[in-house]
């Protein structure tokens, strides 16, 4: 006969177990499995919340559901499933706003707002992303003032805030908040380096991009190199997640133009990593892969290897078109840049000029749309691609002109 004195508290909690499994799957980079696990966990938490008697509440279950939806949104964003990520994050934020008077719910609300900001940014809606991410920063700043344990969450929110600000061309403000993020991570890491290594690596990598946008080239290079060092260590421990981060960091080093040879070496290593990852998960890393291929083409062009560069831009452009077909609004800028560089390499090599002219004309049309929406970010690029279009028009003979 079973021991009837056992308490229900000693039995496993299916909802909690499903939550913990979801977290482990996200951390290990198994994002499709994580989405399925979060579906099951969310069902269990919703049943628990619905089962509470009228007039009562289950704040613990609601808080867990909010954090679970953040995990789900993270997995969806890694998969590029932005519409579903937006729906998930919107549900989480609605849940948080409904309980905002409860101070204990401020932290999960901050996290859900970050998830919503990520989804909006992924869908090419940067202005809305700035608003919700700014709200998240405000919540975490208040929490961190009251309790130092919230500093890492504030650091993460600031780092993401810098990313979305940069998408609007607000580079000075983006650099300021990213510097604050790095400083907070360094302070937290002084007592627990391993616990904050991932956050610090992402923040330093973002800092390199923000410094580069402000033309702080030497500082940007130092930050990019530090990020690569951090990502190498992380990739040794968890390659499934952080080899992709390492590839991204190497691309940033190449952007800093430390030297032609160093840029080529960095892009070649990045391409090799992404090629292996793409073999295992076809299409999953497409946007980053296309971007790094463009950097490889630039490094080859800088070394005068223009025909090799032209072949690489063909591959990069094809991959970016695939990504744009999946997410047309958010990828317009990336596609325009890929088209322009595809054309520029051919102009410099003096080959495929009609193809180059068609590519740059398409790039100009995209840049006009973008510059009308966000002039601070895209007006300079529009001027550059229009100049390239004019140059190619003078280089390209009219159709039917055999002279």
């Amino acid at each position: 006969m079973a021991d009837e004195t056992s308490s229900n508290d000693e039995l496993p909690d299916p909802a909690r177990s499903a939550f913990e499994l979801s977290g482990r799957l996200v951390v290990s980079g198994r994002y499709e499995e994580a989405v399925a696990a979060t579906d099951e966990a969310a069902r269990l938490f919703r049943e628990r919340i619905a089962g509470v008697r009228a007039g009562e509440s289950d704040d613990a279950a609601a808080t867990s559901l909010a954090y679970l939806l953040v995990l789900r949104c993270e997995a969806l964003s890694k998969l590029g499933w932005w519409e579903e990520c937006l729906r998930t994050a919107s549900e989480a934020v609605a849940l948080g706003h409904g309980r905002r008077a409860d101070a204990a719910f401020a932290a999960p609300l901050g996290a859900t707002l970050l998830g919503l900001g990520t989804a909006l940014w992924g869908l090419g809606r940067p202005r809305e992303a700035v608003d919700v991410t700014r709200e998240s920063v405000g919540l975490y700043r208040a929490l961190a003032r009251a309790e130092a344990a919230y500093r890492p969450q504030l650091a993460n929110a600031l780092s993401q805030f810098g990313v979305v600000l940069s998408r609007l061309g607000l580079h000075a403000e983006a650099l300021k908040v990213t510097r604050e993020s790095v400083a907070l991570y360094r302070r937290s890491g002084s007592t627990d380096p391993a616990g904050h290594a991932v956050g610090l690596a992402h923040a330093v990598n973002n800092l390199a991009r923000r410094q580069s946008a402000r033309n702080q080239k030497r500082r940007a290079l130092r930050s990019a190199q530090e990020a690569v060092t951090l990502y190498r260590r992380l990739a040794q421990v968890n390659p499934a997640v952080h080899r992709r981060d390492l590839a991204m960091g190497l691309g940033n080093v190449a952007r800093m133009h430390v030297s032609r040879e160093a840029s080529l070496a960095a892009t070649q290593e990045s391409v090799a990593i992404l090629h292996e990852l793409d073999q295992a998960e076809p299409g999953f890393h497409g946007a980053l892969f296309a971007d790094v291929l463009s950097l490889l083409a630039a490094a080859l062009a800088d070394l005068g290897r223009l025909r090799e560069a032209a072949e690489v831009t063909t591959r990069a452009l094809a991959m970016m078109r695939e990504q744009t077909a999946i997410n047309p609004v958010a990828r317009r800028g990336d596609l325009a840049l890929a088209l322009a560089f595809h054309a520029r390499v051919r102009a410099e090599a003096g080959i495929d000029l009609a193809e180059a002219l068609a590519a740059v004309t398409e790039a100009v049309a995209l840049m006009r749309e973008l510059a009308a929406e966000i002039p601070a970010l895209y007006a300079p690029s529009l001027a550059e691609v229009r100049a390239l279009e004019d140059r190619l028009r003078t280089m390209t003979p009219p159709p039917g002109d055999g002279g």
Side-chain angles (χ1 to χ4, degrees):
M1 183 175 176
D3 182 1
E4 296 180 359
T5 62
S6 297
S7 166
N8 286 338
D9 291 339
E10 296 173 359
L11 297 175
D13 180 343
R16 176 57 51 187
S17 297
F19 184 107
E20 292 171 354
L21 173 61
S22 301
R24 289 196 298 272
L25 290 169
V26 170
V27 168
S28 62
R30 296 159 61 183
Y31 300 117
E32 290 194 38
E33 293 174 72
V35 170
T38 58
D39 280 343
E40 173 61 13
R43 181 186 67 79
L44 293 168
F45 280 119
R46 288 188 185 106
E47 287 179 357
R48 183 169 296 176
I49 294 167
V52 174
R53 288 184 306 222
E56 297 181 1
S57 65
D58 189 339
D59 285 343
T63 301
S64 295
L65 177 58
Y67 276 127
L68 178 72
L69 293 171
V70 172
L71 281 174
R72 177 179 169 79
C73 193
E74 181 176 351
L76 291 164
S77 69
K78 295 294 186 182
L79 292 166
W81 299 352
W82 294 112
E83 293 288 352
E84 182 61 25
C85 182
L86 179 62
R87 284 192 290 271
T88 298
S90 297
E91 178 188 352
V93 169
L95 183 64
H97 279 145
R99 296 168 179 256
R100 195 166 183 176
D102 185 350
F105 217 81
L109 176 58
T112 60
L113 286 164
L114 281 185
L116 180 57
T118 298
L120 291 166
W121 174 80
L123 287 166
R125 295 159 62 178
R127 286 190 173 84
E128 294 169 81
V130 164
D131 290 340
V132 297
T133 309
R134 192 188 301 276
E135 184 181 355
S136 177
V137 167
L139 284 170
Y140 279 125
R141 199 178 288 286
L143 288 166
R145 278 197 296 265
E147 190 175 340
Y150 286 105
R151 285 175 184 166
Q153 288 94 323
L154 173 59
N156 178 49
L158 287 163
S159 186
Q160 291 197 44
F161 192 33
V163 172
V164 294
L165 285 168
S166 71
R167 296 286 291 185
L168 289 175
L170 302 172
H171 298 304
E173 187 179 356
L175 176 57
K176 180 181 178 181
V177 299
T178 309
R179 280 177 177 156
E180 184 182 357
S181 170
V182 171
L184 285 167
Y185 271 125
R186 291 198 196 283
R187 190 184 309 175
S188 299
S190 64
T191 55
D192 182 14
H196 302 291
V198 175
L200 177 61
H202 291 331
V204 170
N205 191 64
N206 288 339
L207 179 62
R209 298 293 295 269
R210 307 293 84 80
Q211 290 168 326
S212 180
R214 295 292 290 168
N215 207 32
Q216 298 178 6
K217 295 182 179 180
R218 290 185 180 179
R219 291 178 180 176
L221 176 59
R222 286 196 298 270
S223 296
Q225 290 171 331
E226 181 185 357
V228 165
T229 299
L230 292 167
Y231 282 138
R232 283 196 195 282
R233 293 174 189 162
L234 291 165
Q236 289 174 351
V237 177
N238 191 349
V241 173
H242 296 300
R243 288 191 75 214
R244 185 183 192 280
D245 292 332
L246 175 58
M248 177 181 61
L250 287 163
N252 276 347
V253 168
R255 279 189 180 86
M256 307 310 165
H257 303 295
V258 54
S259 73
R260 291 176 178 176
E261 292 75 15
S263 290
L264 179 60
T267 54
Q268 286 175 328
E269 183 181 358
S270 183
V271 166
I273 291 170
L274 288 167
H275 178 73
E276 287 184 17
L277 294 175
D278 189 63
Q279 292 291 104
E281 300 173 291
F284 180 73
H285 306 281
L288 177 60
F289 204 170
D291 182 51
V292 170
L293 283 170
S294 291
L295 291 171
L296 174 60
L300 290 167
D302 284 345
L303 289 166
R305 296 160 61 177
L306 294 170
R307 288 189 176 271
E308 291 175 75
E311 291 177 6
V312 175
T313 65
T314 299
R315 184 181 176 195
L317 180 56
M319 293 182 74
M320 191 55 73
R321 284 197 188 280
E322 291 176 2
Q323 294 300 309
T324 305
I326 296 168
N327 195 349
V329 176
R331 292 294 175 199
R332 284 178 301 164
D334 296 329
L335 177 59
L337 292 174
L339 285 161
F341 191 66
H342 183 75
R344 181 171 290 111
V345 168
R346 281 155 178 75
E348 292 176 3
I351 60 173
D352 304 330
L353 295 179
E355 177 185 340
L357 179 57
V360 76
T361 299
E362 185 180 354
V364 167
L366 288 168
M367 281 293 179
R368 279 201 180 102
E369 292 179 10
L370 292 160
E373 295 171 16
I374 311 176
L377 189 59
Y378 290 107
S381 297
L382 174 60
E384 290 177 10
V385 294
R386 288 184 65 183
L388 177 60
E389 183 183 33
D390 291 342
R391 177 184 167 198
L392 276 162
R393 287 194 189 283
T394 64
M395 295 172 66
T396 307
D401 185 352

